[in-house]
Amino acid sequence: MALATLTRSIQDEIGGQLDRFGANILVLPQSNTLSLDYGGVAVSGVAFDLHQLTNEDTDRIHQIPYKGRLSAVAPKILSFVDVNGQKVILAGVDFKNELKLHRWWHIEGAAPNDDSDVLVGFEAAKALGLITPDGGKAAAGQASGVSHHANTSEDQFQLSVDQVSIAGSEHHVSGVIHPSGGPEDKMIFGRLVHVQQLSKRVGQIDAIEVSALCKDCPIDDIVAQIREKLPHAKVSAIQQAVKARMEMVQRLSRFSTVVSIVVLLIAMLMVLTSMTGSVVERTREFGVLRAIGFRKVHIIHGLILEVLAISAFGGLIGWMLGIGGSWIAMPYFTEVTSAPEIRPAVLVIAVITSIAVSVAASLYPVARASHMDPADAVRSI
């Protein structure tokens, strides 16, 4: 019981954590693209019938029936800007949701708090000359005898220039994102409304990333509800993230099932051993009962009733101990601190399983007791 409760809590915990890392639904503007060629030479395609996303579309996503399953809704707008003579991608984001979506970001400095603050990716900061190697950390590492790999120096830098000119306006660099290997390494991030104004696209959005908590994985239902709210947008589930989450949870579920079966087999073996010993100890009792007229069926009925009563009581005690044990052990394995949920259905299953295991393990000892010869039993008195 404790193992089942603990495993279910760990499954929910792992599923929730995986859902919170990264987006699993992507919303893009709906458009049609036409590929063109001229005289056999391919030219750039033409996009037409483009439906632009807006800030109101983000609000509509929060109105779906499954809005409680949405962990983060992160709108963003992208534009190319000139920074110190170099072309860089500037992304306008809602930092509250963006940082919730990208929990693996390690920021040197702080997240932006003002319209003039920006967050710069590592490669972009290095190309713009905003960072320099941190001599203090490097010296400390060498003094401690730690061997540095080629990429270790990328984690040891400091912000040397905290001002950049973006589209002719001075901005304060509040932090630099440590290298992550993603597209953010080459980007600059600013507040959504400010970047919309800077790029003269007030109210417009290029993409919305959604992180949905898909416990029991109703990801298709959430996608369908967003499509209903945004018929002009292209809504799709990022299957890689969804499949990875489901595969992880299913493997944990299979492992817990195998462990539970092993525990049940051990329990059956213990019941079989106990019942066999009990039958041997009660040989005289069964012999006397057979000698005074009890039939085999009476012996079987009596023993089965004993097994049913003891196993039902044992199932109830096991359920109570399991709930208490899982409550004590849960903080060591998960971040859940609340008491386990009491489910009457689980109590019924625990009692029925206890009865079934005990009866199955008692069949051989009961059959042996019913076939006992009264003469042998009387001789042993």
Side-chain angles (χ1 to χ4, degrees):
M1 187 61 219
L3 179 64
T5 304
L6 193 59
T7 304
R8 188 175 60 251
S9 298
I10 293 175
Q11 286 178 354
D12 294 343
E13 178 90 2
I14 291 177
Q17 292 295 335
L18 288 175
D19 288 339
R20 290 183 176 90
F21 275 83
N24 46 23
I25 298 175
L26 185 62
V27 181
L28 295 171
Q30 185 75 267
S31 67
N32 295 314
T33 303
L34 178 63
S35 299
L36 298 176
D37 65 272
Y38 182 79
V41 178
V43 297
S44 300
V46 176
F48 59 94
D49 199 18
L50 178 66
H51 299 275
Q52 184 65 52
L53 295 175
T54 62
N55 291 339
E56 288 72 21
D57 292 328
T58 305
D59 299 332
R60 292 190 184 100
I61 292 177
H62 287 290
Q63 297 171 2
I64 64 172
Y66 273 140
K67 58 186 177 184
R69 299 285 184 89
L70 302 180
S71 171
V73 178
K76 49 180 60 63
I77 183 170
L78 305 173
S79 64
F80 279 100
V81 294
D82 185 83
V83 181
N84 297 343
Q86 298 189 44
K87 288 291 184 183
V88 181
I89 299 177
L90 175 65
V93 298
D94 176 1
F95 279 104
K96 179 182 176 183
N97 286 290
E98 195 71 20
L99 295 179
K100 189 186 294 184
L101 203 64
H102 299 94
R103 294 169 183 262
W104 61 87
W105 283 6
H106 179 200
I107 299 174
E108 187 74 23
N113 291 320
D114 192 73
D115 281 348
S116 62
D117 291 346
V118 292
L119 194 61
V120 185
F122 177 78
E123 294 293 340
K126 191 164 67 172
L128 296 171
L130 303 179
I131 57 175
T132 56
D134 189 338
K137 291 182 180 177
Q142 292 174 1
S144 63
V146 177
S147 175
H148 294 284
H149 299 286
N151 61 349
T152 305
S153 60
E154 295 181 348
D155 295 331
Q156 299 173 345
F157 63 86
Q158 60 183 1
L159 187 62
S160 56
V161 179
D162 63 355
Q163 294 290 327
V164 290
S165 175
I166 300 177
S169 302
E170 288 296 321
H171 289 75
H172 173 246
V173 180
S174 64
V176 175
I177 305 173
H178 279 254
S180 65
E184 59 268 17
D185 285 351
K186 301 177 181 178
M187 298 170 64
I188 296 177
F189 296 87
R191 298 184 71 173
L192 178 64
V193 176
H194 178 64
V195 175
Q196 287 174 334
Q197 294 171 347
L198 205 64
S199 58
K200 297 181 174 56
R201 297 172 60 194
V202 177
Q204 295 185 3
I205 289 174
D206 289 326
I208 304 174
E209 288 182 297
V210 180
S211 174
L213 304 175
C214 51
K215 184 183 179 183
D216 303 327
C217 228
I219 192 74
D220 293 333
D221 296 338
I222 296 176
V223 169
Q225 291 174 6
I226 296 177
R227 283 175 180 162
E228 185 178 352
K229 287 289 183 182
L230 306 177
H232 55 281
K234 180 182 179 183
V235 185
S236 54
I238 302 176
Q239 293 299 328
Q240 182 180 0
V242 176
K243 298 292 183 186
R245 189 263 188 206
M246 293 181 65
E247 181 70 19
M248 177 68 75
V249 173
Q250 286 174 358
R251 286 188 180 186
L252 185 59
S253 177
R254 286 197 291 268
F255 173 75
S256 118
T257 302
V258 171
V259 172
S260 299
I261 291 174
V262 172
V263 171
L264 284 177
L265 290 176
I266 293 174
M268 289 183 68
L269 184 62
M270 293 178 65
V271 172
L272 174 64
T273 305
S274 300
M275 282 297 296
T276 303
S278 175
V279 168
V280 172
E281 290 177 357
R282 298 167 65 184
T283 298
R284 295 179 182 179
E285 176 185 343
F286 296 137
V288 170
L289 291 176
R290 291 297 309 277
I292 62 177
F294 275 69
R295 297 181 178 179
K296 293 181 180 179
V297 66
H298 295 146
I299 301 295
I300 294 174
H301 284 170
L303 287 174
I304 290 296
L305 285 176
E306 283 186 25
V307 170
L308 289 176
I310 294 173
S311 59
F313 182 72
L316 176 62
I317 297 298
W319 175 79
M320 296 171 63
L321 292 177
I323 291 292
S326 62
W327 188 11
I328 295 173
M330 203 173 292
Y332 295 98
F333 297 97
T334 70
E335 296 179 355
V336 177
T337 56
S338 58
E341 184 180 359
I342 304 298
R343 300 180 180 180
V346 176
L347 170 61
V348 174
I349 293 173
V351 172
I352 292 176
T353 303
S354 175
I355 292 175
V357 169
S358 300
V359 170
S362 303
L363 290 179
Y364 170 71
V366 169
R368 182 180 174 183
S370 65
H371 287 83
M372 192 169 292
D373 188 351
D376 295 338
V378 170
R379 278 197 296 271
S380 65
I381 297 177

